[in-house]
Amino acid sequence: MDGKPLNQAKSGARNLARTAFGKAYEVGLIAFHWDAELLCRAGKDLSATYAGIEKLSVQGSTNMTAALQLARELLQGKPGEKVLYLVTDGI
């Protein structure tokens, strides 16, 4: 998919990031297609997160499992509560 579904997913991700930064949360970004790709490490840089969101593109399959595994690895051992949001342009 591309076009409207992808644009809606990007818009939702930007809104989610803006809200999270407003609450002083750290935000990271992992893209998933055939595999998982770390686009932005967790941090408090809204412009870096937005830049990562703009890199999102449609690339074949929807391997959510790889993204969830990578997120788990990156969050493991970090103190505090962790929240994972999954945003997709379709299933």
Side-chain angles (χ1 to χ4, degrees), residues 11 24-25 36 55 62 80-81 85:
S11 177
Y25 296 155
K55 291 179 186 177
T62 306
E81 184 178 6
Y85 289 97

Side-chain angles (χ1 to χ4, degrees), residues 14-38:
R14 283 189 297 270
N15 289 337
L16 177 64
R18 187 173 40 254
T19 300
F21 282 114
K23 296 181 179 190
Y25 296 155
E26 290 188 8
V27 176
L29 181 65
I30 298 171
F32 55 95
H33 32 82
W34 296 284
D35 202 4
E37 178 184 3
L38 179 62

Side-chain angles (χ1 to χ4, degrees), residues 3-19 50 53-54 56 87-89:
K4 189 174 181 179
L6 180 60
N7 289 335
Q8 288 175 331
K10 286 182 176 183
S11 177
R14 283 189 297 270
N15 289 337
L16 177 64
R18 187 173 40 254
T19 300
Y50 278 4
I53 291 168
E54 289 310 309
L56 293 171
V87 179
T88 180
D89 67 340

